[in-house]
Amino acid sequence: MNNISDRFTFIKQVAIDAGKLAVSYYHQRNKLNIEKKKDDGQDLVTVADKNTEQFIRDQINQQYVQDAIFGEESGYTEGKSQYTWVVDPIDGTSAFIFGLPSWCISIALLDEQQNSQIAVVYDPVHDELFHAMAGHGAYLNDQPIQVNPVTSLNEGLLGVGISSRMPPERIIPFLDKLLHAKGMFVRNGSAALMLAYVAAGKLIGYYEPHLNSWDCLAGLLLIKEAGGVMNNYQANDNFLLTGNYVLASSPEVYQQLDTFLSSP
């Protein structure tokens, strides 16, 4: 436990320091060179993403050189310990580029069974640090958080995400069912941040047809520790590399949301 606890204290400070670096780029975003990871879609990257991830990697390597690291921008680096850090240096790059304050730093720690042990989601624009250690609850800064105890979809907002990797047909039927159930949705461009909002009770749930592991592992642990429920993201044996769908919410509305995915 000390190994986990020490890493928890360590990575919270790393996330805050990385946030200071990222937000310095954010305030000078008009000077950034923007690249597309692929020829189509809106999968964008800047030097801010790359340098923020490198900062996080350097900090981990200095303190825990034996740990593996899997980052969105730099891929997988093998380690010799039982732990793997999963890092998204800036989740919500498009929002970041266009000056919208809905982006964050997301870091999770997996053990040798690939179970999440630590979650940190830091929003440096608003100085909100969402954090959790498995079995010890979830927090926003110093305050414990819980999912919203709603019993109906019309009692709050549902976060929804979609990327250019997915055809529109993967999300439209879900939205149709949600709206007919008198629910309403929002999308801010950062899955990690919206998952943290579910944990904090700001959103009643979140759905996305496919998320990469760096986008959601931290947020899912936050929700679990805040009393929420979710699909088995790890049901896909290769989830770390290939991802899976994500459905997470307050307990009382999860079953209804889940039927939206299975019903014609």
Side-chain angles (χ1 to χ4, degrees):
M1 179 56 69
N2 286 338
N3 284 337
I4 298 293
S5 181
D6 291 345
R7 282 172 170 80
F8 187 43
T9 300
F10 159 78
I11 205 63
K12 285 188 288 184
Q13 188 59 54
V14 169
I16 291 170
D17 292 341
K20 293 177 182 177
L21 174 62
V23 87
S24 70
Y25 285 112
Y26 179 69
H27 292 310
Q28 301 182 62
R29 58 190 174 275
N30 293 334
K31 300 178 182 178
L32 296 177
N33 181 44
I34 301 167
E35 304 172 23
K36 282 192 175 182
K37 294 184 181 181
K38 297 181 181 178
D39 292 336
D40 57 354
Q42 294 193 14
D43 198 358
L44 308 176
V45 64
T46 72
V47 69
D49 301 79
K50 296 175 181 178
N51 288 356
T52 302
E53 179 170 315
Q54 190 58 53
F55 173 83
I56 295 168
R57 282 178 171 271
D58 289 345
Q59 296 302 304
I60 293 171
N61 284 330
Q62 288 176 24
Q63 189 73 17
Y64 296 107
V65 67
Q66 303 286 326
D67 292 359
I69 304 173
F70 183 45
E72 177 180 9
E73 308 306 335
S74 304
Y76 184 76
T77 303
E78 287 191 18
K80 297 180 180 179
S81 78
Q82 61 182 307
Y83 299 115
T84 301
W85 298 96
V86 183
V87 179
D88 191 341
I90 298 177
D91 185 58
T93 297
S94 291
F96 179 99
I97 289 168
F98 295 119
L100 298 171
S102 51
W103 57 272
C104 65
I105 292 159
S106 178
I107 307 173
L109 181 69
L110 304 183
D111 62 20
E112 59 185 340
Q113 285 80 38
Q114 293 193 313
N115 295 316
S116 298
Q117 295 295 328
I118 289 173
V120 175
V121 173
Y122 182 52
D123 171 1
V125 176
H126 301 101
D127 193 27
E128 290 190 329
L129 180 69
F130 302 85
H131 54 95
M133 186 167 64
H136 290 78
Y139 293 81
L140 169 51
N141 295 332
D142 295 326
Q143 297 300 313
I145 53 177
Q146 291 186 322
V147 295
N148 196 316
V150 297
T151 58
S152 172
L153 293 175
N154 64 11
E155 294 181 81
L157 298 172
L158 189 83
V160 172
I162 187 70
S163 73
S164 56
R165 299 187 306 273
M166 297 285 105
E169 292 76 19
R170 290 291 300 275
I171 196 73
I172 290 173
F174 180 89
L175 295 178
D176 181 71
K177 294 181 180 70
L178 175 68
L179 294 172
H180 276 95
K182 308 302 181 185
M184 186 50 65
F185 66 93
V186 295
R187 180 181 187 273
N188 72 9
S190 170
L193 195 54
M194 283 190 282
L195 289 168
Y197 287 168
V198 176
K202 300 181 181 186
L203 296 175
I204 63 174
Y206 185 79
Y207 171 64
E208 185 154 350
H210 178 270
L211 276 173
N212 290 311
S213 57
W214 53 76
D215 293 317
C216 65
L217 287 181
L220 290 174
L221 180 58
L222 284 167
I223 292 171
K224 179 180 179 182
E225 290 297 314
V229 294
M230 65 213 67
N231 66 297
N232 181 10
Y233 183 80
Q234 298 182 8
N236 172 4
D237 290 339
N238 204 25
F239 73 92
L240 189 63
L241 299 179
T242 61
N244 203 348
Y245 83 96
V246 166
L247 179 67
S249 72
S250 302
E252 296 297 327
V253 297
Y254 182 85
Q255 196 59 45
Q256 184 176 1
L257 291 169
D258 192 43
T259 63
F260 294 169
L261 303 182
S262 56
S263 60

